[in-house]
PDB file of all heavy atoms in Angstrom:
ATOM      1  N   MET A  18     347.473  55.182 143.745  1.00 74.00           N
ATOM      2  CA  MET A  18     347.848  54.602 142.471  1.00 74.00           C
ATOM      3  C   MET A  18     349.151  55.228 141.941  1.00 74.00           C
ATOM      4  O   MET A  18     349.922  54.565 141.273  1.00 74.00           O
ATOM      5  CB  MET A  18     346.726  54.802 141.458  1.00 74.00           C
ATOM      6  CG  MET A  18     347.005  54.167 140.134  1.00 74.00           C
ATOM      7  SD  MET A  18     345.584  54.319 139.071  1.00 74.00           S
ATOM      8  CE  MET A  18     346.362  54.011 137.526  1.00 74.00           C
ATOM      9  N   ASN A  25     350.724  45.419 135.755  1.00 85.00           N
ATOM     10  CA  ASN A  25     351.335  44.893 134.535  1.00 85.00           C
ATOM     11  C   ASN A  25     352.631  45.626 134.156  1.00 85.00           C
ATOM     12  O   ASN A  25     353.344  45.194 133.278  1.00 85.00           O
ATOM     13  CB  ASN A  25     350.351  44.886 133.369  1.00 85.00           C
ATOM     14  CG  ASN A  25     349.694  46.223 133.148  1.00 85.00           C
ATOM     15  OD1 ASN A  25     349.668  47.065 134.036  1.00 85.00           O
ATOM     16  ND2 ASN A  25     349.134  46.418 131.989  1.00 85.00           N
ATOM     17  N   ASP A  28     357.106  45.202 137.062  1.00 86.00           N
ATOM     18  CA  ASP A  28     358.436  44.636 136.838  1.00 86.00           C
ATOM     19  C   ASP A  28     359.317  45.521 135.948  1.00 86.00           C
ATOM     20  O   ASP A  28     360.519  45.321 135.885  1.00 86.00           O
ATOM     21  CB  ASP A  28     358.324  43.248 136.202  1.00 86.00           C
ATOM     22  CG  ASP A  28     357.627  42.254 137.122  1.00 86.00           C
ATOM     23  OD1 ASP A  28     357.617  42.493 138.340  1.00 86.00           O
ATOM     24  OD2 ASP A  28     357.104  41.251 136.606  1.00 86.00           O
ATOM     25  N   CYS A  29     358.720  46.484 135.279  1.00 86.00           N
ATOM     26  CA  CYS A  29     359.459  47.315 134.335  1.00 86.00           C
ATOM     27  C   CYS A  29     360.146  48.509 134.990  1.00 86.00           C
ATOM     28  O   CYS A  29     361.072  49.072 134.417  1.00 86.00           O
ATOM     29  CB  CYS A  29     358.523  47.833 133.250  1.00 86.00           C
ATOM     30  SG  CYS A  29     357.709  46.538 132.316  1.00 86.00           S
ATOM     31  N   ARG A  42     355.362  64.220 135.419  1.00 93.00           N
ATOM     32  CA  ARG A  42     354.056  64.407 134.784  1.00 93.00           C
ATOM     33  C   ARG A  42     353.128  65.310 135.593  1.00 93.00           C
ATOM     34  O   ARG A  42     352.043  65.641 135.124  1.00 93.00           O
ATOM     35  CB  ARG A  42     353.360  63.050 134.568  1.00 93.00           C
ATOM     36  CG  ARG A  42     354.083  62.138 133.577  1.00 93.00           C
ATOM     37  CD  ARG A  42     354.307  62.849 132.257  1.00 93.00           C
ATOM     38  NE  ARG A  42     354.770  61.979 131.216  1.00 93.00           N
ATOM     39  CZ  ARG A  42     356.015  61.887 130.800  1.00 93.00           C
ATOM     40  NH1 ARG A  42     356.957  62.589 131.379  1.00 93.00           N
ATOM     41  NH2 ARG A  42     356.339  61.090 129.813  1.00 93.00           N
ATOM     42  N   LEU A  43     353.525  65.691 136.769  1.00 93.00           N
ATOM     43  CA  LEU A  43     352.680  66.538 137.613  1.00 93.00           C
ATOM     44  C   LEU A  43     353.150  67.999 137.621  1.00 93.00           C
ATOM     45  O   LEU A  43     352.606  68.812 138.365  1.00 93.00           O
ATOM     46  CB  LEU A  43     352.640  65.990 139.043  1.00 93.00           C
ATOM     47  CG  LEU A  43     352.019  64.594 139.187  1.00 93.00           C
ATOM     48  CD1 LEU A  43     352.107  64.107 140.617  1.00 93.00           C
ATOM     49  CD2 LEU A  43     350.567  64.589 138.716  1.00 93.00           C
ATOM     50  N   MET A  54     349.464  69.780 122.991  1.00 95.00           N
ATOM     51  CA  MET A  54     349.436  68.600 122.125  1.00 95.00           C
ATOM     52  C   MET A  54     348.020  68.057 121.952  1.00 95.00           C
ATOM     53  O   MET A  54     347.669  67.541 120.889  1.00 95.00           O
ATOM     54  CB  MET A  54     350.363  67.512 122.664  1.00 95.00           C
ATOM     55  CG  MET A  54     351.833  67.866 122.581  1.00 95.00           C
ATOM     56  SD  MET A  54     352.400  67.996 120.864  1.00 95.00           S
ATOM     57  CE  MET A  54     352.616  69.727 120.669  1.00 95.00           C
ATOM     58  N   GLU A  76     353.946  49.377 103.511  1.00 80.00           N
ATOM     59  CA  GLU A  76     354.706  49.107 102.279  1.00 80.00           C
ATOM     60  C   GLU A  76     355.050  47.629 102.154  1.00 80.00           C
ATOM     61  O   GLU A  76     354.921  47.039 101.074  1.00 80.00           O
ATOM     62  CB  GLU A  76     355.996  49.928 102.260  1.00 80.00           C
ATOM     63  CG  GLU A  76     355.793  51.384 101.947  1.00 80.00           C
ATOM     64  CD  GLU A  76     357.091  52.167 102.001  1.00 80.00           C
ATOM     65  OE1 GLU A  76     357.963  51.868 102.829  1.00 80.00           O
ATOM     66  OE2 GLU A  76     357.222  53.102 101.196  1.00 80.00           O
ATOM     67  N   ASN A  78     353.438  45.109 103.434  1.00 81.00           N
ATOM     68  CA  ASN A  78     352.202  44.394 103.120  1.00 81.00           C
ATOM     69  C   ASN A  78     351.837  44.554 101.643  1.00 81.00           C
ATOM     70  O   ASN A  78     351.381  43.603 101.005  1.00 81.00           O
ATOM     71  CB  ASN A  78     351.060  44.872 104.004  1.00 81.00           C
ATOM     72  CG  ASN A  78     351.199  44.423 105.436  1.00 81.00           C
ATOM     73  OD1 ASN A  78     351.948  43.502 105.741  1.00 81.00           O
ATOM     74  ND2 ASN A  78     350.501  45.081 106.339  1.00 81.00           N
ATOM     75  N   ARG A  81     354.058  42.260  99.647  1.00 79.00           N
ATOM     76  CA  ARG A  81     353.632  40.866  99.785  1.00 79.00           C
ATOM     77  C   ARG A  81     352.388  40.598  98.939  1.00 79.00           C
ATOM     78  O   ARG A  81     352.288  39.579  98.264  1.00 79.00           O
ATOM     79  CB  ARG A  81     353.342  40.573 101.255  1.00 79.00           C
ATOM     80  CG  ARG A  81     353.935  39.280 101.716  1.00 79.00           C
ATOM     81  CD  ARG A  81     353.723  38.977 103.188  1.00 79.00           C
ATOM     82  NE  ARG A  81     354.323  39.966 104.057  1.00 79.00           N
ATOM     83  CZ  ARG A  81     353.640  40.729 104.919  1.00 79.00           C
ATOM     84  NH1 ARG A  81     352.345  40.610 105.036  1.00 79.00           N
ATOM     85  NH2 ARG A  81     354.250  41.606 105.682  1.00 79.00           N
ATOM     86  N   GLU A  82     351.427  41.514  98.980  1.00 76.00           N
ATOM     87  CA  GLU A  82     350.190  41.340  98.227  1.00 76.00           C
ATOM     88  C   GLU A  82     350.423  41.357  96.713  1.00 76.00           C
ATOM     89  O   GLU A  82     349.810  40.601  95.979  1.00 76.00           O
ATOM     90  CB  GLU A  82     349.198  42.445  98.585  1.00 76.00           C
ATOM     91  CG  GLU A  82     348.601  42.315  99.959  1.00 76.00           C
ATOM     92  CD  GLU A  82     347.755  43.522 100.328  1.00 76.00           C
ATOM     93  OE1 GLU A  82     347.365  44.292  99.431  1.00 76.00           O
ATOM     94  OE2 GLU A  82     347.505  43.696 101.533  1.00 76.00           O
ATOM     95  N   THR A  89     358.655  51.717  93.216  1.00 56.00           N
ATOM     96  CA  THR A  89     357.904  52.952  93.399  1.00 56.00           C
ATOM     97  C   THR A  89     356.481  52.561  93.738  1.00 56.00           C
ATOM     98  O   THR A  89     356.030  51.450  93.440  1.00 56.00           O
ATOM     99  CB  THR A  89     357.897  53.820  92.123  1.00 56.00           C
ATOM    100  OG1 THR A  89     357.267  53.083  91.077  1.00 56.00           O
ATOM    101  CG2 THR A  89     359.297  54.208  91.721  1.00 56.00           C
ATOM    102  N   LYS A 103     340.191  48.205 109.178  1.00 80.00           N
ATOM    103  CA  LYS A 103     340.496  46.807 108.863  1.00 80.00           C
ATOM    104  C   LYS A 103     339.667  46.263 107.711  1.00 80.00           C
ATOM    105  O   LYS A 103     340.079  45.336 107.035  1.00 80.00           O
ATOM    106  CB  LYS A 103     340.285  45.937 110.105  1.00 80.00           C
ATOM    107  CG  LYS A 103     341.318  46.178 111.171  1.00 80.00           C
ATOM    108  CD  LYS A 103     341.093  45.296 112.370  1.00 80.00           C
ATOM    109  CE  LYS A 103     342.145  45.579 113.427  1.00 80.00           C
ATOM    110  NZ  LYS A 103     341.972  44.760 114.611  1.00 80.00           N
ATOM    111  N   LYS A 106     337.733  50.438 104.645  1.00 80.00           N
ATOM    112  CA  LYS A 106     336.843  51.588 104.467  1.00 80.00           C
ATOM    113  C   LYS A 106     337.445  52.841 105.102  1.00 80.00           C
ATOM    114  O   LYS A 106     338.036  52.785 106.172  1.00 80.00           O
ATOM    115  CB  LYS A 106     335.481  51.325 105.120  1.00 80.00           C
ATOM    116  CG  LYS A 106     334.769  50.106 104.580  1.00 80.00           C
ATOM    117  CD  LYS A 106     334.253  50.365 103.201  1.00 80.00           C
ATOM    118  CE  LYS A 106     333.493  49.150 102.695  1.00 80.00           C
ATOM    119  NZ  LYS A 106     333.175  49.229 101.321  1.00 80.00           N
ATOM    120  N   ALA A 111     337.435  61.738 104.598  1.00 69.00           N
ATOM    121  CA  ALA A 111     338.161  60.926 103.616  1.00 69.00           C
ATOM    122  C   ALA A 111     337.228  60.032 102.808  1.00 69.00           C
ATOM    123  O   ALA A 111     337.602  59.557 101.737  1.00 69.00           O
ATOM    124  CB  ALA A 111     339.212  60.071 104.318  1.00 69.00           C
ATOM    125  N   ASP A 123     344.456  58.154  71.405  1.00 81.00           N
ATOM    126  CA  ASP A 123     345.662  58.501  70.661  1.00 81.00           C
ATOM    127  C   ASP A 123     346.199  57.225  70.038  1.00 81.00           C
ATOM    128  O   ASP A 123     346.496  56.255  70.735  1.00 81.00           O
ATOM    129  CB  ASP A 123     346.697  59.116  71.609  1.00 81.00           C
ATOM    130  CG  ASP A 123     347.934  59.626  70.888  1.00 81.00           C
ATOM    131  OD1 ASP A 123     348.207  59.192  69.739  1.00 81.00           O
ATOM    132  OD2 ASP A 123     348.637  60.453  71.477  1.00 81.00           O
ATOM    133  N   PRO A 124     346.333  57.173  68.722  1.00 79.00           N
ATOM    134  CA  PRO A 124     346.814  55.948  68.071  1.00 79.00           C
ATOM    135  C   PRO A 124     348.254  55.600  68.467  1.00 79.00           C
ATOM    136  O   PRO A 124     348.681  54.464  68.286  1.00 79.00           O
ATOM    137  CB  PRO A 124     346.718  56.262  66.575  1.00 79.00           C
ATOM    138  CG  PRO A 124     346.604  57.741  66.473  1.00 79.00           C
ATOM    139  CD  PRO A 124     346.022  58.233  67.763  1.00 79.00           C
ATOM    140  N   ASN A 125     348.995  56.548  69.033  1.00 80.00           N
ATOM    141  CA  ASN A 125     350.369  56.284  69.434  1.00 80.00           C
ATOM    142  C   ASN A 125     350.475  55.644  70.818  1.00 80.00           C
ATOM    143  O   ASN A 125     351.548  55.210  71.221  1.00 80.00           O
ATOM    144  CB  ASN A 125     351.185  57.582  69.419  1.00 80.00           C
ATOM    145  CG  ASN A 125     351.250  58.181  68.034  1.00 80.00           C
ATOM    146  OD1 ASN A 125     351.397  57.466  67.047  1.00 80.00           O
ATOM    147  ND2 ASN A 125     351.105  59.485  67.947  1.00 80.00           N
ATOM    148  N   GLY A 135     344.721  58.395  89.880  1.00 73.00           N
ATOM    149  CA  GLY A 135     344.935  58.941  91.217  1.00 73.00           C
ATOM    150  C   GLY A 135     343.630  59.004  91.973  1.00 73.00           C
ATOM    151  O   GLY A 135     342.694  58.249  91.694  1.00 73.00           O
ATOM    152  N   TYR A 136     343.569  59.908  92.915  1.00 72.00           N
ATOM    153  CA  TYR A 136     342.389  60.077  93.749  1.00 72.00           C
ATOM    154  C   TYR A 136     342.024  61.553  93.790  1.00 72.00           C
ATOM    155  O   TYR A 136     342.888  62.412  93.740  1.00 72.00           O
ATOM    156  CB  TYR A 136     342.656  59.597  95.171  1.00 72.00           C
ATOM    157  CG  TYR A 136     342.915  58.121  95.249  1.00 72.00           C
ATOM    158  CD1 TYR A 136     344.195  57.612  95.096  1.00 72.00           C
ATOM    159  CD2 TYR A 136     341.878  57.233  95.466  1.00 72.00           C
ATOM    160  CE1 TYR A 136     344.437  56.254  95.163  1.00 72.00           C
ATOM    161  CE2 TYR A 136     342.109  55.873  95.537  1.00 72.00           C
ATOM    162  CZ  TYR A 136     343.388  55.396  95.384  1.00 72.00           C
ATOM    163  OH  TYR A 136     343.621  54.054  95.444  1.00 72.00           O
ATOM    164  N   GLU A 140     334.675  68.559  97.455  1.00 66.00           N
ATOM    165  CA  GLU A 140     334.210  69.281  98.629  1.00 66.00           C
ATOM    166  C   GLU A 140     332.984  70.095  98.264  1.00 66.00           C
ATOM    167  O   GLU A 140     332.597  70.168  97.100  1.00 66.00           O
ATOM    168  CB  GLU A 140     335.321  70.178  99.177  1.00 66.00           C
ATOM    169  CG  GLU A 140     336.469  69.381  99.748  1.00 66.00           C
ATOM    170  CD  GLU A 140     337.476  70.254 100.478  1.00 66.00           C
ATOM    171  OE1 GLU A 140     337.308  71.481 100.523  1.00 66.00           O
ATOM    172  OE2 GLU A 140     338.428  69.684 101.011  1.00 66.00           O
ATOM    173  N   GLY A 146     328.705  78.409  93.712  1.00 68.00           N
ATOM    174  CA  GLY A 146     328.121  77.166  93.253  1.00 68.00           C
ATOM    175  C   GLY A 146     329.090  76.228  92.571  1.00 68.00           C
ATOM    176  O   GLY A 146     328.692  75.193  92.055  1.00 68.00           O
ATOM    177  N   ILE A 149     334.529  72.297  94.566  1.00 65.00           N
ATOM    178  CA  ILE A 149     335.966  72.360  94.788  1.00 65.00           C
ATOM    179  C   ILE A 149     336.517  70.942  94.742  1.00 65.00           C
ATOM    180  O   ILE A 149     335.990  70.051  95.393  1.00 65.00           O
ATOM    181  CB  ILE A 149     336.277  73.004  96.148  1.00 65.00           C
ATOM    182  CG1 ILE A 149     335.702  74.434  96.199  1.00 65.00           C
ATOM    183  CG2 ILE A 149     337.771  73.026  96.427  1.00 65.00           C
ATOM    184  CD1 ILE A 149     335.722  75.057  97.566  1.00 65.00           C
ATOM    185  N   GLY A 152     343.255  67.083  94.752  1.00 52.00           N
ATOM    186  CA  GLY A 152     343.867  65.801  94.458  1.00 52.00           C
ATOM    187  C   GLY A 152     344.667  65.791  93.186  1.00 52.00           C
ATOM    188  O   GLY A 152     344.933  66.766  92.571  1.00 52.00           O
TER     189      GLY A 152
END
Side-chain angles (χ1 to χ4, degrees):
M18 183 175 162
N25 52 340
D28 296 338
C29 301
R42 295 306 190 258
L43 297 176
M54 292 294 108
E76 285 177 325
N78 289 342
R81 226 178 299 119
E82 288 173 17
T89 61
K103 290 181 181 180
K106 302 288 182 190
D123 185 340
N125 298 320
Y136 295 88
E140 292 189 358
I149 300 169

